[in-house]
Amino acid sequence: MSERQLHRENQSMSMMYGTYADILFVLFPFLVIGMQRLWDGRLYETLMNADLSIAAAILAGLAIGKFVLGLVTNRDLGRYKERIVFFIALTLFVVLGPAIILMLSIAGGAEVPGFVAFVQPVLLIIAISLYSTAVSISNILTRDSERESNTANIEGDSPDIARASRVGHAPLDLPRHTGADSW
């Protein structure tokens, strides 16, 4: 295995551990609530309360943030922009919308139908999958952006522009203050 492949594999493993650490931190309070309900003998209530929908909505929001980050990181995405917008719409339509509707319906005080015990875990699983996908897409696009900046540096761009694009940001061009303007 070459050094480059080893570096790429280590980077992928770090990304995976970071992604699942994010997911675990989001799910931790809900785990504590579930364990308390298990202790009290009311674990089924976890499935019938809005807890899992709240967790799904949080992860869906984080996924949308990662998709948007991937969308704005590289201006030269071309054909990928539509795919990223599709994933944003999919996250809104499949997870965030139903999770919010379930939260509002459960909080409304009416009797909660039995299918909610099935739908909420499914929403959570889909939200976890979409968040993992969003992190992967965002990192792939950032990595592609870094690769392009390294190529641009080899072709003779200024070191400041290459360094700025390696970080994933365009250089900030601020107008100079001439002193002639007064407040």
Side-chain angles (χ1 to χ4, degrees):
M1 188 178 283
S2 72
E3 184 177 328
R4 184 177 180 154
Q5 289 173 331
L6 185 61
H7 175 69
R8 189 176 298 153
E9 183 177 316
N10 286 339
Q11 189 176 19
S12 294
M13 289 299 289
S14 295
M15 178 187 67
M16 182 186 71
Y17 285 132
T19 301
Y20 291 121
D22 290 346
I23 293 168
L24 290 174
F25 278 118
V26 168
L27 294 180
F28 180 72
F30 302 101
L31 173 70
V32 171
I33 292 168
M35 290 178 70
Q36 182 61 44
R37 288 193 180 134
L38 176 65
W39 181 266
D40 295 339
R42 302 177 302 145
L43 184 62
Y44 184 70
E45 283 183 26
T46 301
L47 297 174
M48 300 305 283
N49 283 330
D51 300 341
L52 296 180
S53 290
I54 294 169
I58 292 169
L59 287 170
L62 289 171
I64 289 171
K66 289 293 183 179
F67 283 129
V68 170
L69 180 65
L71 190 62
V72 300
T73 297
N74 188 349
R75 295 180 184 154
D76 301 324
L77 290 177
R79 64 181 178 202
Y80 298 116
K81 286 183 182 179
E82 288 81 18
R83 292 179 187 177
I84 294 172
V85 171
F86 168 76
F87 276 111
I88 291 170
L90 182 72
T91 304
L92 285 168
F93 185 75
V94 174
V95 179
L96 195 59
I100 291 172
I101 290 170
L102 280 174
M103 285 187 291
L104 293 174
S105 298
I106 292 170
E111 185 177 334
V112 180
F115 74 89
V116 171
F118 172 75
V119 171
Q120 286 194 110
V122 169
L123 279 177
L124 184 60
I125 291 168
I126 293 171
I128 290 170
S129 301
L130 282 172
Y131 179 71
S132 300
T133 302
V135 170
S136 298
I137 288 173
S138 179
N139 286 331
I140 287 170
L141 293 175
T142 303
R143 198 176 321 142
D144 287 345
S145 176
E146 288 175 5
R147 203 174 298 136
E148 288 172 6
S149 69
N150 290 337
T151 304
N153 193 24
I154 291 170
E155 293 173 359
D157 281 350
S158 74
D160 291 337
I161 293 173
R163 189 178 330 110
S165 57
R166 230 179 283 127
V167 177
H169 305 285
L172 185 61
D173 187 21
L174 295 175
R176 300 271 185 230
H177 181 65
T178 60
D181 298 339
S182 61
W183 295 84

